[in-house]
Amino acid sequence: MKRILCSALALVLALSLCACGESGGDTGPTYPAAFAGLETQIDAAREEGRLTVCVSGDEPFLTAACEKFEELFGISVTVRTAEPDALPNGSGTDVWYGGDEALCRALSESGGLMAYTPEAASALIDPGYGHEDYCAINSDALGIMVNSDVLTRMGISAPRSWDDLLEPVYRELVWLPAYDTAEGRLFVRAMMEYFGDDAADYLTQLDTSVQFYTTGTDTAAKCLSTGECVIGIGWLSTGLTAQRNSGSSAIAMWAPAAEGVPGRVQTTAIFADAPHPNAAKLWQEFALSPQCMELMEDNGCSRFPTVWDGQETMPDMDPAQLKLYGAETEEMSTAVDEVIAAVMETLAENGVDTEDAARWHVA
């Protein structure tokens, strides 16, 4: 009986090998449709076999992307972490994923990035998201967030513009980023552009509408669902996250678009001296692929993907409205400092306690 069974198994194995031979023996890996036509590039990247990715920050989607790339292409990925608001040390590193656009632009201008335009860049929802040596992977806008239920109970409508915030009905209802935070300084820059020489006057008047000046990037958004915060100025992604986490339909948000929406993007780029350039170029293709874009939403990222496939979470905002501000030059930094100083001086003269930490630095 055993002899018969062994003979049968041998026959099955032989027939299987013959079948493989007749089909051409095509046992090579297969990839998602987004990578069709990139077979030569994939082979070159797989021959290098390694990739080192510098991620800016600790958001889950950053490392999820690295794991997915390794899974798809069988290329070993080493992850290095850099602070979100600092230029990383690119020595020995291939790509920079999740970098701030202003910092990325500064590194580009100094020759620190490799020029490469991914085929996938043709799918970007706005041409402005693609550059010669880096591409935006997601975008975010500084806008207005409200708890609409509280406003309804108060019998007042939501503010729709920066000018509206000065209306007496919003007195002490607004939570504004503190002026010594990144988003606070961006807000000042946007108001300087929108109001020109009257920016300091606007910000001084706005103080009567401000209840708290916040230091956390999501402080206002977190308190919208409880009603502690009625109107918040901040990144719309934080509002979307609060909306999703709380399940509250009361949270609404938008970006005033009269003079362009102050915004930011995260980018992906190749370092100029990348030790694995072919794998790095394949990464750029992957970073703009549907597979990678889906990882952002799947891992809790509420920014707006730059390759959009109709996600329902995107607020009603034309990406062309987003106005990106570069890293502060010395001249711009001085100008922002002067406006802030003028505001603080005037407020102090008007009897406002600008040293009150309970109001000016709410975490």
Side-chain angles (χ1 to χ4, degrees), residues 78-91:
T78 300
V79 181
R80 295 181 183 175
T81 304
E83 293 299 321
D85 57 353
L87 279 172
N89 178 6
S91 178

Side-chain angles (χ1 to χ4, degrees), residues 20-292:
C20 289
E22 290 170 2
S23 65
D26 185 9
T27 59
T30 58
Y31 306 104
F35 304 100
L38 298 177
E39 289 80 8
T40 300
Q41 189 175 46
I42 292 173
D43 289 344
R46 284 170 57 84
E47 188 173 339
E48 290 178 344
R50 307 185 68 82
L51 183 75
T52 300
V53 181
C54 175
V55 297
S56 285
D58 58 359
E59 294 179 88
F61 83 88
L62 296 170
T63 50
C66 296
E67 292 168 0
K68 188 65 174 180
F69 182 84
E70 188 171 78
E71 174 192 329
L72 280 176
F73 302 110
I75 295 172
S76 178
V77 177
T78 300
V79 181
R80 295 181 183 175
T81 304
E83 293 299 321
D85 57 353
L87 279 172
N89 178 6
S91 178
T93 307
D94 295 296
V95 296
W96 183 15
Y97 187 57
D100 175 75
E101 195 270 347
L103 294 174
C104 201
R105 186 190 308 175
L107 188 59
S108 170
E109 291 172 351
S110 67
L113 299 179
M114 178 187 299
Y116 178 71
T117 302
E119 294 288 336
S122 61
L124 290 168
I125 58 177
D126 187 273
Y129 289 145
H131 300 267
E132 184 182 35
D133 48 9
Y134 62 90
C135 290
I137 56 172
N138 59 51
S139 62
D140 203 355
L142 194 67
I144 298 174
M145 305 173 287
V146 304
N147 184 309
S148 55
D149 285 354
V150 175
L151 288 175
T152 298
R153 289 199 299 269
M154 296 177 70
I156 58 179
S157 59
R160 302 297 303 188
S161 69
W162 304 128
D163 297 273
D164 286 351
L165 294 174
L166 300 182
E167 295 295 328
V169 292
Y170 304 122
R171 185 179 180 86
E172 296 185 2
L173 290 182
V174 177
W175 290 27
L176 187 73
Y179 294 137
D180 57 355
T181 64
E183 58 267 42
R185 291 183 69 85
L186 178 63
F187 181 71
V188 172
R189 290 177 68 179
M191 297 307 101
M192 289 169 64
E193 186 156 328
Y194 184 32
F195 293 102
D197 294 338
D198 295 327
D201 290 339
Y202 169 80
L203 294 172
T204 300
Q205 294 178 61
L206 181 61
D207 181 73
T208 61
S209 298
V210 177
Q211 182 181 11
F212 295 119
Y213 291 86
T214 62
T215 57
T217 58
D218 60 355
T219 301
K222 283 182 176 179
C223 294
L224 281 171
S225 59
T226 63
E228 295 172 81
C229 175
V230 182
I231 302 171
I233 308 302
W235 298 116
L236 296 191
S237 63
T238 64
L240 288 169
T241 298
Q243 187 183 69
R244 181 180 63 242
N245 291 345
S246 66
S248 173
S249 60
I251 300 175
M253 66 212 73
W254 52 86
E259 293 294 329
V261 178
R264 63 179 177 180
V265 299
Q266 288 184 307
T267 63
T268 183
I270 304 175
F271 288 106
D273 56 353
H276 308 100
N278 292 311
K281 291 174 181 177
L282 180 60
W283 171 273
Q284 293 295 87
E285 302 290 349
F286 164 74
L288 300 183
S289 70
Q291 285 72 24
C292 196

Side-chain angles (χ1 to χ4, degrees), residues 315-334:
D316 184 17
M317 187 190 77
D318 181 353
Q321 295 173 337
L322 199 70
K323 185 160 189 174
L324 303 176
Y325 292 74
E328 285 187 10
T329 63
E330 185 175 348
E331 181 180 0
M332 176 53 68
S333 183
T334 298

Side-chain angles (χ1 to χ4, degrees), residues 1 12 32 111 169 199 224 299 340 344:
M1 181 67 182
V12 169
V169 292
L224 281 171
N299 286 272
I340 294 173
M344 303 300 277

